[in-house]
């Protein structure tokens, strides 16, 4: 009677210590939370339509995913990592150091970042310059002779044609990939048009371009994009920054703003005219193909027309597909498992 | 004596002390009344918050327990299903396994049924919208039906298949589908008109959602279920309990009953108390470094989750077990020793059974904490998309709070109700655990 728990505990300890060397028959995928909603759809279909087990997908963020991915070869490292940006040279180096030499890159599509407000208000029409002026910590004075702490309280103070709403922008926190992309695609581009910032040295320029204002007009609303949508619905004067798929799913509640005159929608992101969009990738460990069953088939499923094509099921989930030629190229490269070369 | 005499001599004239007490009496009663009132207000406020939380969760989560089905007359002839006649015959005769039928074009059959139901719909985009009335998971249901009974091949069957989440939500809500303008939905007016037509002919049915309890996670809200997370949580907690309970109780007994009081035991004690206050993410990092990177245990597996969480719950159980052991009156120990019991017999026959209710309470508190934990599991890869139900402690799994988190973060709106429903399942799990603890406690409880 008293010995039972002890016996069970010993059995478990024995079972766990015999761990090393077990084989794995499930594909292990890690990486970006932006790619997660798309990769999971593919994984689910893959599991249901083939004899392979459904791949396991962890949402670790692009950087975290690549770190795990490049940590070595073997069944306890992931086979595939999703990324909402291209792999960096430093990460390729880390991979090589740990013996991961055969990395296959697959570009799957684009994700737009929506700048939106409630459908109860008029759609905003903003330029990236105006967004920079509304959101940066320090902005150039109107005569351009120096930087001052952001004085703008109303949109109409930046440009008289904008509505006389007080500035309130809800956006993702610095840990989010969406925030990185927003800063890169909007803030950096926006600040590049000011001579006084261009004249600064590299560090000061970065500080001026990349720092968001902290006086409560830019609100970090947390990683959860649903929350931003809810807050926009409750406050028609507020503007939110979030992933395009959330705009698509909530099109009865929120509407896209015109950025540099272009609305975020399927076509404008696909043809590149909407400026705030980023490519989505995943990386495959070539060494694992053949060791872990199903990797080549998963690649084939992901790069099939039915999945990432113009009318594939990924586009229904809000991913913006590549152009037709690009898709053919990617699919061919994925089939022959072409090793990545950074240029 | 003089005080007493003055009392008896002049009772109408109270002493200064009594007068002082009397003057303060009203104030003291008032203070007591006020304090009681504060207490009632505090309890009322906490009950109100709890009620608000529960009402909001339950009201949001209830729709997730029902699911909308659509009635379709599905043609199951081998041409539509794209099966060659020989295979079909062989399967029907039993010379080939039914799994041969797995790759048939079930989606095509469902689409054909929809086209027959709405023959006027033409044009590519309209047809695509029409096909979207039915869940993408319906084809797998149809496949199961056909594989279970291959004799259905070649017939027409009237079947109830799950609808897509958006249209399903409208029907579940009992929305008036004829008033398309008043509905808040992404669906276009055409889809709503088709739905209204189906609704008028009673071709929708709302049933209890068994899928929610049978399936693992899915990216289609109407197919997503809690099963994988529930099983994952159960495995993880089982490991946590099996590891932490014996170790914690043994440490508590040794420290309380046998250990000498010296600098080393003091150090151990301080460290246990400190360990109880360590943020849980730290245990996750430890788990990643030691169990996964060093011992090469599988990522995302309940066995690692259980080990990490048992590290986290150990101090909680040790501290409460020690308190429970301490509260057993010394007279019990002395009586046992007086009757000639050895130290071990004193502890195991007399002290431990009496301390058991307290120890169990501590264990349940520790396990309940572990049940709600997500942060350490993030590091060891249990925040993952799991479709297949885990079959053992080394399979990839996730747990209930992680499932809540993942669903709360999904763009599809129907996941909002799933999130609340998952919270309800989590709470139910917790209540069951507590009930077991209360039952065990009642059985062991002894009064003296």
């Amino acid at each position: 009677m008293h010995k039972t728990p002890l016996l069970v505990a010993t059995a478990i300890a024995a079972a766990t210590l015999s761990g090393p060397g077990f084989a794995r028959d499930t594909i292990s995928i890690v990486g970006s939370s932006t790619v997660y909603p798309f990769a999971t759809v593919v994984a689910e279909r893959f599991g249901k339509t083939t004899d392979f087990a459904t791949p396991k997908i962890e949402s670790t963020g692009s950087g975290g995913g690549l770190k795990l991915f490049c940590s070595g070869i073997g069944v306890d490292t992931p086979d595939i990592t999703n990324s909402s940006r291209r792999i960096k040279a430093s990460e390729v180096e880390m991979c090589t150091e740990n013996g991961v030499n055969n990395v296959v890159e697959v570009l799957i599509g684009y994700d737009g970042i929506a700048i939106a407000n409630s459908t109860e208000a008029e759609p905003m029409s903003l330029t990236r310059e105006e967004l920079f002026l509304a959101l940066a910590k320090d902005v150039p004075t109107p005569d351009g002779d120096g930087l001052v702490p952001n004085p703008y309280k109303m949109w109409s103070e930046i440009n008289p044609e904008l509505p006389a709403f007080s500035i309130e922008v809800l956006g993702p926190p610095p840990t989010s990939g969406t925030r990185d992309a927003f800063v890169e695609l909007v803030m950096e581009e926006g600040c590049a048009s000011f001579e006084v910032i261009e004249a600064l040295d590299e560090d000061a320029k970065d500080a001026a371009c990349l720092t968001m204002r902290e006086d409560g007009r830019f609100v970090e609303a947390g990683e959860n994009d649903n929350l931003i949508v809810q807050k926009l619905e409750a406050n028609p004067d507020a503007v939110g920054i979030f992933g395009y798929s959330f705009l698509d799913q909530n099109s009865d509640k929120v509407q896209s703003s015109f950025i540099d005159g272009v609305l975020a929608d399927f076509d404008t992101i696909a043809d590149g005219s909407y400026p705030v969009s980023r490519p989505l990738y995943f990386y495959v460990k070539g060494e694992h193909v053949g060791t872990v069953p199903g990797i080549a088939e998963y690649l084939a499923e992901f790069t099939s027309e039915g999945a990432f094509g113009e009318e594939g099921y990924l586009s229904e989930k809000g991913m913006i597909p590549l152009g037709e030629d690009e898709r053919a190229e990617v699919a061919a490269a994925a089939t022959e498992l072409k090793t990545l070369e950074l240029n | 004596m003089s005080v007493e005499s003055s009392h008896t001599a002049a009772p109408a004239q109270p002493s200064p002390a009594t007068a002082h007490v009397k003057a303060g009496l009203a104030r003291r009663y008032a203070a007591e009344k006020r304090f009681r009132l504060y207490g009632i207000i505090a309890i009322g406020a906490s009950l109100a918050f709890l009620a608000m939380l529960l009402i909001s969760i339950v009201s949001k989560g209830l729709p997730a327990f029902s699911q909308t089905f659509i009635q379709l007359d599905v043609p199951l002839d081998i041409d539509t299903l794209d099966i060659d006649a020989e295979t079909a015959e062989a399967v029907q005769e039993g010379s080939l396994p039914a799994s041969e039928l797995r790759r048939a074009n079930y989606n095509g059959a469902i689409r054909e049924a929809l086209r027959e139901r709405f023959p006027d719909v033409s044009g590519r985009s309209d047809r695509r919208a029409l096909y979207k009335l039915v869940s993408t998971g319906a084809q797998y249901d149809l496949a199961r039906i056909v594989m279970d009974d291959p004799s259905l091949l070649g017939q027409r069957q009237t079947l109830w298949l799950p609808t897509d989440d958006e249209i399903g939500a409208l029907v579940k809500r009992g929305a008036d589908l004829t008033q398309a303008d008043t509905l808040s939905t992404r669906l276009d007016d055409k889809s709503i008109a088709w739905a209204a037509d189906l609704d008028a002919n009673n071709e929708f049915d709302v049933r209890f959602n068994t899928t929610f309890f049978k399936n693992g996670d899915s990216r289609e809200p109407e197919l997503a279920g809690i099963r994988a997370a529930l099983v994952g949580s159960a495995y993880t907690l089982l490991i946590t309990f099996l590891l932490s309970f014996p170790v914690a109780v043994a440490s508590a007994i040794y420290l309380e009953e046998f250990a000498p009081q010296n600098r080393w035991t003091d150090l151990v004690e301080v460290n246990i108390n400190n360990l109880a206050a360590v943020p849980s993410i730290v245990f996750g990092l430890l788990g990643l470094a030691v169990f996964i990177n060093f011992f090469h245990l599988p990522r995302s597996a309940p066995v690692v989750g259980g080990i990490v969480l048992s590290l986290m719950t150990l101090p909680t159980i040790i501290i409460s077990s020690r308190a429970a052991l301490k509260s057993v009156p010394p007279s019990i120990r002395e009586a046992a020793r007086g009757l000639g019991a050895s130290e071990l017999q004193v502890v195991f026959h007399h002290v431990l059974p009496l301390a058991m209710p307290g120890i169990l309470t501590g264990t349940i508190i520790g396990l309940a904490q572990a049940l709600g934990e997500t942060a350490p599991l993030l590091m060891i890869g249990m925040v993952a998309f799991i479709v297949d139900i885990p079959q053992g402690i080394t399979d990839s799994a996730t747990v209930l709070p992680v499932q809540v988190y993942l669903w709360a973060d999904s763009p599809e709106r129907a996941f909002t109700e799933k999130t609340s429903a998952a919270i309800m399942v989590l709470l139910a799990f917790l209540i069951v655990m507590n009930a077991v603890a209360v039952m065990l406690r009642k059985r062991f409880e002894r009064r003296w």
Side-chain angles (χ1 to χ4, degrees):
Chain A
M1 178 69 185
H2 289 148
K3 282 181 193 151
T4 336
L6 197 68
L7 275 178
V8 179
T10 327
I12 286 171
T16 52
L17 286 179
S18 63
F22 61 89
R24 181 152 58 76
D25 57 3
T26 313
I27 302 175
S28 167
I29 303 174
V30 294
S32 163
S33 54
T34 313
V35 185
Y36 173 88
F38 308 126
T40 44
V41 183
V42 180
E44 194 182 339
R45 299 240 176 182
F46 176 74
K48 276 184 179 149
T49 51
T50 65
D51 294 325
F52 299 103
T54 308
K56 175 196 79 186
I57 305 187
E58 286 175 49
S59 168
T60 60
S62 301
L66 280 161
K67 206 173 148 195
L68 283 168
F69 179 80
C70 289
S71 66
I73 292 179
V75 284
D76 49 353
T77 59
D79 311 314
I80 294 176
T81 185
N82 299 320
S83 180
S84 57
R85 57 170 171 79
R86 201 153 188 230
I87 191 169
K88 291 178 191 160
S90 59
E91 286 160 339
V92 173
E93 230 167 79
M94 183 166 72
C95 267
T96 320
E97 267 170 35
N98 292 319
V100 185
N101 294 313
N102 196 356
V103 177
V104 181
E105 180 182 71
V106 183
L107 172 66
I108 51 174
Y110 298 99
D111 176 47
I113 293 170
I115 293 143
N117 61 354
S118 163
T119 42
E120 275 166 36
E122 290 293 309
M124 303 273 275
S125 181
L126 298 162
T127 64
R128 282 183 277 182
E129 209 176 296
E130 286 162 358
L131 273 168
F132 172 75
L133 288 178
L135 295 175
K137 190 173 181 201
D138 296 311
V139 293
T141 52
D143 356 321
D145 52 5
L147 289 175
V148 289
N150 198 331
Y152 299 112
K153 293 194 170 66
M154 311 276 269
W155 290 103
S156 52
E157 289 167 13
I158 297 171
N159 177 353
E161 283 171 23
L162 290 171
F165 291 157
S166 90
I167 298 173
E168 188 186 347
V169 180
L170 307 162
T175 46
S176 154
T178 314
R179 167 79 166 263
D180 289 347
F182 177 80
V183 167
E184 187 192 324
L185 296 165
V186 174
M187 300 299 281
E188 274 190 71
E189 294 291 322
C191 86
S193 53
F194 295 99
E195 277 169 24
V196 55
I197 295 178
E198 285 297 299
L200 294 170
D201 67 69
E202 203 64 24
D203 285 350
K205 194 171 134 187
D206 271 358
C209 287
L210 307 182
T211 318
M212 307 289 272
R213 66 195 295 182
E214 288 156 359
D215 55 358
R217 302 208 171 263
F218 175 73
V219 185
E220 284 174 6
E223 293 270 8
N224 190 329
D225 286 359
N226 276 325
L227 207 65
I228 299 183
V229 173
Q230 278 170 24
K231 286 183 176 164
L232 291 184
E233 206 189 347
N235 179 2
D237 293 355
V239 174
I241 300 164
F242 47 87
Y244 174 74
S245 46
F246 288 82
L247 177 69
D248 187 38
Q249 288 288 333
N250 293 290
S251 51
D252 56 327
K253 291 181 182 167
V254 285
Q255 62 192 356
S256 167
S257 308
F258 290 90
I259 303 300
D260 295 344
V262 186
L263 270 181
D265 68 28
F266 211 80
D267 300 324
T268 56
I269 300 174
D271 66 19
S273 59
Y274 180 73
V276 198
S277 74
R278 56 179 158 167
L280 304 176
Y281 296 91
F282 69 83
Y283 293 91
V284 183
K285 208 175 275 176
E287 285 89 347
H288 282 193
V289 179
T291 318
V292 178
I295 296 183
E297 289 81 358
Y298 174 80
L299 247 77
E301 171 69 34
F302 215 129
T303 54
S304 68
E305 273 302 292
F308 85 153
E310 203 79 52
E311 304 212 320
Y313 53 79
L314 286 175
S315 72
E316 271 167 36
K317 287 284 172 191
M319 190 186 82
I320 314 297
L322 305 169
E324 210 173 326
D325 300 343
E326 255 181 318
R327 283 205 304 276
E329 210 175 292
V330 168
T335 320
E336 64 189 59
L337 297 169
K338 203 169 131 203
T339 305
L340 164 79
E341 279 163 28
L342 279 190
N343 31 33
Chain B
M1 204 57 193
S2 66
V3 175
E4 196 127 315
S5 65
S6 77
H7 256 268
T8 46
Q13 206 48 214
S15 77
T18 322
H20 185 72
V21 168
K22 277 222 169 121
L25 209 53
R27 193 169 43 82
R28 282 160 59 202
Y29 276 130
E32 188 187 323
K33 258 194 197 144
R34 273 204 306 279
F35 182 76
R36 285 190 186 191
L37 190 68
Y38 295 152
I40 290 171
I41 291 174
I43 289 177
S46 46
L47 279 182
F49 284 128
L50 186 68
M52 252 160 58
L53 182 77
L54 283 180
I55 289 170
S56 104
I57 288 172
V58 171
S59 64
K60 272 194 205 148
L62 271 185
F65 293 104
S66 57
Q67 190 177 19
T68 313
F69 287 81
I70 179 175
Q71 187 185 37
L72 281 179
D73 192 26
V74 189
L76 292 174
D77 53 284
I78 51 175
D79 291 336
T80 322
L81 286 175
D82 201 14
I83 307 172
D84 60 85
E86 282 170 38
T87 320
E89 218 166 283
V91 171
Q92 280 178 333
E93 281 168 5
S95 55
L96 269 177
S99 55
E100 286 294 315
L101 301 175
R102 194 169 155 186
R103 308 220 167 236
N105 185 9
Y106 297 104
N107 214 9
I110 293 170
R111 290 182 170 186
E112 178 64 33
L114 279 167
R115 281 197 297 270
E116 285 173 9
R117 175 66 183 79
F118 294 99
D120 301 339
V121 178
S122 58
R124 234 179 115 170
S125 64
D126 279 4
R127 282 206 170 155
R128 269 168 66 85
L130 177 65
Y131 300 152
K132 272 198 200 166
L133 288 180
V134 177
S135 160
T136 49
Q139 48 179 313
Y140 308 115
D141 282 6
L142 185 61
R144 209 172 312 126
I145 292 170
V146 173
M147 286 194 286
D148 283 349
D149 184 6
S151 67
L152 293 178
L153 284 178
Q155 300 178 17
R156 292 188 75 87
Q157 278 285 314
T158 304
L159 296 169
W160 289 95
L161 295 170
T163 60
D164 192 52
D165 53 327
E166 305 242 1
I167 200 78
L170 286 180
V171 177
K172 267 196 279 191
R173 248 194 287 148
D176 186 358
L177 294 170
T178 53
Q179 306 287 319
D181 302 342
T182 61
L183 300 171
S184 166
T185 174
R186 294 167 63 220
L187 290 169
D188 55 18
D189 290 354
K190 267 187 205 151
S191 307
I192 295 174
W194 296 324
D197 186 28
L198 288 164
D199 201 27
N201 289 315
N202 288 326
E203 285 169 77
F204 281 128
D205 189 19
V206 179
R207 301 177 183 177
F208 182 70
N209 189 354
T210 49
T211 316
F212 185 67
F213 296 98
K214 279 198 294 205
N215 276 18
D217 198 1
S218 169
R219 288 286 301 131
E220 305 299 331
E222 71 273 14
L223 301 178
I226 197 79
R227 181 78 166 264
L230 197 63
V231 173
S233 265
Y235 278 132
T236 309
L237 279 188
L238 183 74
I239 301 284
T240 308
F241 175 75
L242 290 180
L243 288 180
S244 63
F245 185 70
V247 175
V249 173
S251 340
I253 292 176
Y254 180 76
L255 284 174
E256 201 55 46
E257 304 286 336
F258 295 102
Q261 273 290 326
N262 60 27
R263 198 185 293 174
W264 291 112
T265 48
D266 280 352
L267 190 71
V268 169
E269 208 177 318
V270 167
N271 273 311
I272 288 173
N273 290 339
N274 281 342
L275 213 55
V278 170
S280 55
I281 185 91
V282 177
F283 291 109
L285 284 167
L286 178 87
L288 177 67
V290 176
F291 304 121
I292 294 182
N293 290 346
F294 187 74
F295 284 114
H296 297 284
L297 292 180
R299 254 183 98 79
S300 318
V303 60
V304 183
I307 296 174
V308 167
L309 291 178
S310 65
L311 291 181
M312 202 193 78
T313 46
L314 262 178
T316 315
I317 307 184
I318 294 179
I319 292 170
S320 62
S321 300
R322 291 191 61 182
L325 289 168
K326 214 176 269 175
S327 71
V328 175
S331 54
I332 302 272
R333 295 185 183 83
E334 280 155 19
R337 283 192 203 110
L339 289 171
S342 73
E343 275 305 302
L344 201 67
Q345 284 170 328
V346 170
V347 170
F348 280 95
H349 295 177
H350 302 279
V351 178
L352 192 58
L354 288 175
M356 222 26 160
I359 294 177
L360 283 176
T361 310
T363 309
I364 289 296
I365 292 174
L367 287 182
Q369 237 174 18
L371 176 65
E373 202 58 67
T374 50
L377 301 181
L378 184 73
M379 306 310 301
I380 57 163
M382 284 187 85
V383 179
F385 178 70
I386 305 290
V387 176
D388 301 334
I389 317 291
Q391 301 296 322
I393 55 169
T394 50
D395 280 4
S396 296
T398 188
V399 293
L400 286 167
V402 169
Q403 194 66 73
V404 171
Y405 163 75
L406 289 175
W407 282 349
D409 220 14
S410 300
E412 288 82 7
R413 212 175 296 162
F415 274 119
T416 320
E417 59 184 47
K418 298 276 169 189
T419 309
S420 295
I423 295 173
M424 284 162 74
V425 172
L426 181 63
L427 289 179
F429 197 115
L430 205 66
I431 290 170
V432 169
M433 250 169 65
N434 277 327
V436 170
V438 170
M439 254 169 51
L440 286 176
R441 212 157 58 196
K442 279 261 149 62
R443 272 193 62 183
F444 280 113
E445 198 144 49
R446 215 180 292 175
R447 296 188 180 279
W448 54 80

